[in-house]
Amino acid sequence: MTASLPASLWHFLSREVALVCDAAGTLTWVDDRAVRLLETGPGQALRSLAAQGTEDKVDRLVTLSRDERVERWEVILCVGGQPRTFAFRGAPHEGGSALVGSLVTEDYAASLSQVSETLSELASLHRETERQQRELKRRADELARINRELEESNRGVRTLHAELDEKTESLVRAAEIKSRVVANVSHEFRTPLHSILGLARLLLNPANGSLSPEQQKQVQFIRSSGEALFELVNDLLDLSKMESGKATLRPVHFGAGDFLGALRGMMRPLVLADSPVELRFETPPADLALETDEAKVSQVVRNLVSNALKFTEKGHVTVTAERGPEDTVCFRVSDTGIGIAPEHHAHIFEEFTQVESPLQKQVKGTGLGLALSRRLAEFLGGSLTVQSAPGRGSTFTFTLPRVHPEVMEMVGMTERSQQLEPGRAPVLVLEDDRQTLFLYEKYLSRSGFQVLPVRTVEEARRTLQRVRPAAVVMDVMLEGETSWSFLSELKSNEATRDIPVLVVTLMDREQKARALGADEFWLKPLGEEQLLRKLAEMARSGPVQKLLIIDDDEVHRYLLRQLLRDTPYLLSEAGTGPEGLRLAREQTPDLIFLDFVLPDMTAFDVLDELKADPRTRDIPVILHTSRQLQEEERARLEKGTSTILAKHKLSREVAITRIRDALHKTGLGTDRGESRRG
Ligand code: ADP
């Protein structure tokens, strides 16, 4: 217990202090308790321990006890800042005095009660701490319990998740199987149906022998049933294509006027000359043009018109096209037909749904048309809605982006690729699937590459004339063509054979790809990391090749800059010889364009200095000059330069070819300077 008592309490419990002082009253020795209680030590004057105003009494104690024994001499000393009464006994000692003071009882009692108060405070503090500890433990137990419960429910959720995942997977698989079965069965249906329809047509042709009227009627039935079935099969096939995401977008540019004109020609035969229903096409704004899948737009509008004609007994069916909000186009097909009750509005867009009506029984239909139309509308980034009431006719509105979002993205991407970004290594991507192109662009642009997207071999060839890419990523199965020949072209051409080519396609044709020179072959789909790692490794060159132009003529430097715009070269310029040499040493460019005539140094001097420095010794130099060179000058220059180029002959093509040749000669074309720079 005492061991844990605070020092201040200890002071109170020690009741006596022993002191020795010299004749002047300066302490020469004090005992431990005095040290602790009075916070004093040898060297201090005893009077300085006295409570204020009582110093004299202390002095007198000193003087008296120097000569004789003194008993019960009460003085007030400061203990912890508080005045406390001590009863002193004193006796002469070595010219000074020895003193023993004892706290008088009242003060000792007061101190003791203070101690006990503090102790009881401590005890209650201790009790409180214990209570808090118990509370903490209770809470910790509670937390542990909750944690256990949470873990259990977590396990439950995880199991549920796994089950859900499994269910989703099996549903997806079921949906896939359904789509595949529908697609396959539909395909299989079409062939025999073609034969049935062909044979029916043959039978009905009087040139092939006549049928009895009864037989003719029967064959007519076969034919119309066959046609209905054919239509159903076609709709099913289209729907399954949309569902399985296999539908492809074939965007074209077309005017709304031409589009409705063609539609009119197609639909007119459906309305008989004496029909009480008039089919009207309103002329759209002359400059309204779309860039989207025309065939799919046509399929939707045709379907709406044919429905409108089916469910309209008299009056008219009107087709319009106009601009909608936010660069959209609205096609509207309105009729004066039987109309549709609001409660059926949502259902008619479901598969195999038809609204009961006397007219319904008389017309043909599969109940798939609107379902397919809505899917098509959504595929085109648009929507299909209906406004109708029974007996009041119907208006179907098909709204779609004037330019398909994918086309917009593609345009943006192509535009971005027109300007080469300095510091980004260009990668030519030959891929007909826009989605995949977008994906590659996203992957590559994050990592310092610039995608040059092309969708046909022809476009790829054109881009190669403009840019030398750091790598080529290509699909070999393109829409309407394969790119095998392009691959072999790339790899057999001197100028391009060292560009790394990565073939990514759907079919395993690795052997063929490798045989034609592909540096890598991968099956789709390709992950980001996989692609980037490989590209970084292949296009080891770093982003661009550096060119230094040393020429005092500002106009000529400008000209060169313009000629080399959109090339993968990073240009730096110097207007004087020394400046050029400094930059050459600092930047170690891959190539130097050097003007023959400089104001401060001759080209010979610059060349000599370049050759003298190991850092710049191997940099190829293209010397360009507007002067006719002397034979000996030429001979001398040819030793140190890769090419001599007449300024007046300089064109973009010449410049690029010469640069490529020069880089190629030093091996930069293949290992991109790794060896030179070490
Ligand atoms: P169907 O092959 O039966 O025409 P759709 O999916 O095209 O299939 O249409 C579904 C149903 O919606 C039709 O059967 C008809 O009941 C109703 N419907 C569609 N268009 C109209 C219209 N213009 N007027 C009245 N009812 C219509």
Side-chain angles (χ1 to χ4, degrees):
M1 183 73 186
T2 44
S4 61
L5 266 186
S8 58
L9 290 179
W10 188 239
H11 292 171
F12 288 112
L13 287 173
S14 46
R15 206 176 156 199
E16 290 199 324
V17 292
L19 315 162
V20 175
C21 55
D22 60 13
T26 305
L27 294 168
T28 54
W29 176 85
V30 295
D31 74 345
D32 281 352
R33 273 171 301 179
V35 170
R36 280 198 300 269
L37 199 60
L38 301 172
E39 292 167 359
T40 185
Q44 198 174 355
L46 182 59
R47 99 191 291 273
S48 67
L49 301 178
Q52 214 180 357
T54 66
E55 291 86 352
D56 288 352
K57 210 169 173 200
V58 172
D59 286 344
R60 251 178 299 137
L61 169 65
V62 171
T63 16
L64 279 177
S65 59
R66 215 165 39 194
D67 302 323
E68 56 187 275
R69 291 183 79 88
V70 180
E71 289 291 335
R72 291 201 57 80
W73 192 270
E74 288 194 353
V75 292
I76 306 172
L77 301 183
C78 283
V79 175
Q82 297 292 324
R84 292 276 178 262
T85 313
F86 284 81
F88 268 95
R89 279 170 288 145
H93 175 72
E94 293 178 353
S97 43
L99 303 165
V100 174
S102 175
L103 260 173
V104 300
T105 334
E106 310 89 86
D107 267 1
Y108 190 62
S111 295
L112 275 183
S113 88
Q114 205 175 330
V115 167
S116 93
E117 228 169 72
T118 316
L119 277 178
S120 84
E121 265 170 31
L122 264 178
S124 79
L125 215 73
H126 184 67
R127 275 197 303 279
E128 175 64 8
T129 315
E130 273 189 346
R131 197 189 59 73
Q132 283 182 355
Q133 262 173 0
R134 274 198 307 278
E135 176 66 15
L136 266 178
K137 186 171 174 325
R138 196 185 59 74
R139 293 212 181 150
D141 288 348
E142 175 81 5
L143 256 179
R145 190 184 57 76
I146 293 177
N147 236 1
R148 267 196 311 278
E149 276 176 18
L150 264 178
E151 221 157 78
E152 269 164 28
S153 13
N154 221 4
R155 261 202 304 279
V157 170
R158 273 205 299 272
T159 324
L160 223 67
H161 238 262
E163 275 174 27
L164 266 179
D165 268 354
E166 226 170 83
K167 287 239 163 68
T168 318
E169 211 174 286
S170 74
L171 274 177
V172 169
R173 232 177 306 132
E176 259 171 27
I177 292 172
K178 186 198 106 187
S179 291
R180 261 213 312 274
V181 169
V182 170
N184 286 342
V185 170
S186 308
H187 259 302
E188 296 306 315
F189 266 132
R190 287 217 299 193
T191 324
L193 268 175
H194 262 302
S195 317
I196 293 171
L197 289 175
L199 288 172
R201 234 171 277 129
L202 217 66
L203 279 173
L204 288 172
N205 188 345
N208 297 321
S210 56
L211 299 174
S212 75
E214 199 52 30
Q215 284 171 323
Q216 202 164 6
K217 215 153 99 194
Q218 289 164 357
V219 179
Q220 287 279 19
F221 276 134
I222 295 178
R223 187 173 126 172
S224 62
S225 305
E227 276 168 356
L229 195 55
F230 197 63
E231 203 177 305
L232 172 71
V233 166
N234 279 343
D235 280 357
L236 269 177
L237 204 58
D238 283 345
L239 249 173
S240 80
K241 245 200 231 160
M242 306 296 298
E243 272 180 5
S244 61
K246 288 220 182 77
T248 41
L249 183 79
R250 292 194 174 79
V252 286
H253 187 94
F254 61 98
D258 292 345
F259 173 78
L260 288 190
L263 212 62
R264 184 192 293 130
M266 237 186 281
M267 306 302 287
R268 201 179 279 145
L270 296 184
V271 188
L272 301 175
D274 57 351
S275 165
V277 183
E278 188 196 346
L279 178 58
R280 298 178 190 159
F281 283 83
E282 280 180 14
T283 315
D287 59 345
L288 182 56
L290 295 90
E291 197 159 352
T292 183
D293 195 321
E294 184 180 11
K296 292 194 173 63
V297 178
S298 169
Q299 203 176 343
V300 176
V301 183
R302 263 190 340 238
N303 189 32
L304 297 178
V305 175
S306 104
N307 273 355
L309 289 173
K310 274 197 301 194
F311 298 101
T312 306
E313 286 172 304
K314 63 175 191 301
H316 53 81
V317 169
T318 310
V319 187
T320 62
E322 59 193 37
R323 275 179 226 285
E326 292 172 17
D327 207 20
T328 54
V329 178
C330 288
F331 288 95
R332 268 195 197 90
V333 180
S334 21
D335 62 53
T336 54
I338 59 170
I340 307 156
E343 63 268 28
H344 297 306
H345 286 189
H347 301 303
I348 53 171
F349 293 101
E350 288 164 10
E351 292 159 29
F352 301 109
T353 309
Q354 296 179 324
V355 182
E356 285 290 319
S357 76
L359 192 53
Q360 183 79 62
K361 298 199 177 70
Q362 298 166 28
V363 296
K364 282 195 290 187
T366 59
L368 283 178
L370 284 179
L372 177 61
S373 299
R374 185 168 261 185
R375 291 285 173 104
L376 285 167
E378 284 162 2
F379 180 76
L380 298 174
S383 63
L384 177 60
T385 55
V386 63
Q387 278 175 311
S388 179
R392 313 271 300 266
S394 315
T395 298
F396 282 84
T397 308
F398 167 33
T399 309
L400 77 162
R402 201 179 57 75
V403 179
H404 192 280
E406 269 189 27
V407 176
M408 289 282 256
E409 270 192 70
M410 196 62 210
V411 169
M413 195 152 118
T414 313
E415 271 171 9
R416 281 196 292 285
S417 76
Q418 289 306 308
Q419 280 280 326
L420 283 188
E421 295 170 41
R424 281 182 181 271
V427 175
L428 180 73
V429 180
L430 170 57
E431 171 65 61
D432 61 337
D433 181 46
R434 282 183 210 82
Q435 298 292 352
T436 312
L437 266 179
F438 298 150
L439 208 65
Y440 287 167
E441 197 199 27
K442 203 171 81 191
Y443 290 170
L444 295 174
S445 60
R446 282 202 280 246
S447 312
F449 293 97
Q450 181 184 7
V451 167
L452 310 178
V454 286
R455 302 185 53 227
T456 63
V457 167
E458 200 35 54
E459 270 181 80
R461 285 197 187 106
R462 274 204 304 274
T463 308
L464 272 184
Q465 281 166 4
R466 181 166 71 86
V467 183
R468 181 190 162 85
V472 176
V473 176
M474 59 186 280
D475 190 353
V476 277
M477 305 293 167
L478 302 174
E479 199 176 317
E481 62 177 345
T482 67
S483 53
W484 292 117
S485 59
F486 176 63
L487 172 61
S488 82
E489 225 172 271
L490 265 178
K491 286 298 175 183
S492 51
N493 187 334
E494 191 70 27
T496 52
R497 66 153 48 121
D498 54 317
I499 301 175
V501 178
L502 178 64
V503 173
V504 191
T505 192
L506 270 172
M507 279 209 291
D508 190 1
R509 306 299 302 276
E510 174 152 11
Q511 265 191 341
K512 180 165 181 181
R514 297 264 188 207
L516 289 176
D519 298 78
E520 189 56 73
F521 179 91
W522 269 326
L523 282 175
K524 283 183 182 174
L526 185 57
E528 174 170 7
E529 217 181 296
Q530 197 179 10
L531 176 66
L532 289 179
R533 205 174 329 112
K534 195 75 211 176
L535 271 182
E537 192 185 302
M538 282 178 156
R540 228 176 321 136
S541 60
V544 280
Q545 287 170 331
K546 291 180 283 180
L547 259 57
L548 171 63
I549 305 172
I550 310 178
D551 195 327
D552 64 319
D553 184 351
E554 202 180 316
V555 177
H556 197 253
R557 288 204 309 269
Y558 173 79
L559 201 70
L560 256 179
R561 240 185 0 249
Q562 289 304 310
L563 288 181
L564 296 178
R565 215 182 51 205
D566 284 354
T567 59
Y569 305 122
L570 193 64
L571 302 184
S572 51
E573 298 170 27
T576 66
E579 169 75 358
L581 285 168
R582 186 181 64 77
L583 285 181
R585 286 184 200 115
E586 272 175 27
Q587 305 179 340
T588 46
D590 298 296
L591 184 117
I592 295 174
F593 257 95
L594 175 64
D595 185 12
F596 184 66
V597 190
L598 289 167
D600 43 2
M601 285 171 93
T602 69
F604 295 116
D605 296 334
V606 176
L607 283 170
D608 286 347
E609 286 220 31
L610 285 173
K611 298 294 158 205
D613 192 320
R615 283 171 294 179
T616 54
R617 178 177 300 151
D618 295 322
I619 302 177
V621 177
I622 295 184
L623 196 100
H624 56 152
T625 173
S626 42
R627 227 182 59 170
Q628 192 70 37
L629 292 178
Q630 305 288 323
E631 206 42 57
E632 49 165 318
E633 277 177 335
R634 180 172 287 279
R636 204 177 140 194
L637 283 170
E638 258 162 8
K639 267 190 244 147
T641 41
S642 304
T643 314
I644 298 170
L645 209 61
K647 277 190 179 176
H648 65 275
K649 280 195 189 154
L650 201 58
S651 70
R652 183 179 164 85
E653 285 65 35
V654 170
I656 293 174
T657 337
R658 291 300 163 85
I659 291 171
R660 278 195 194 160
D661 289 346
L663 291 175
H664 209 74
K665 259 190 226 161
T666 54
L668 277 177
T670 45
D671 68 11
R672 302 179 145 71
E674 297 290 310
S675 59
R676 183 164 60 80
R677 289 205 205 100

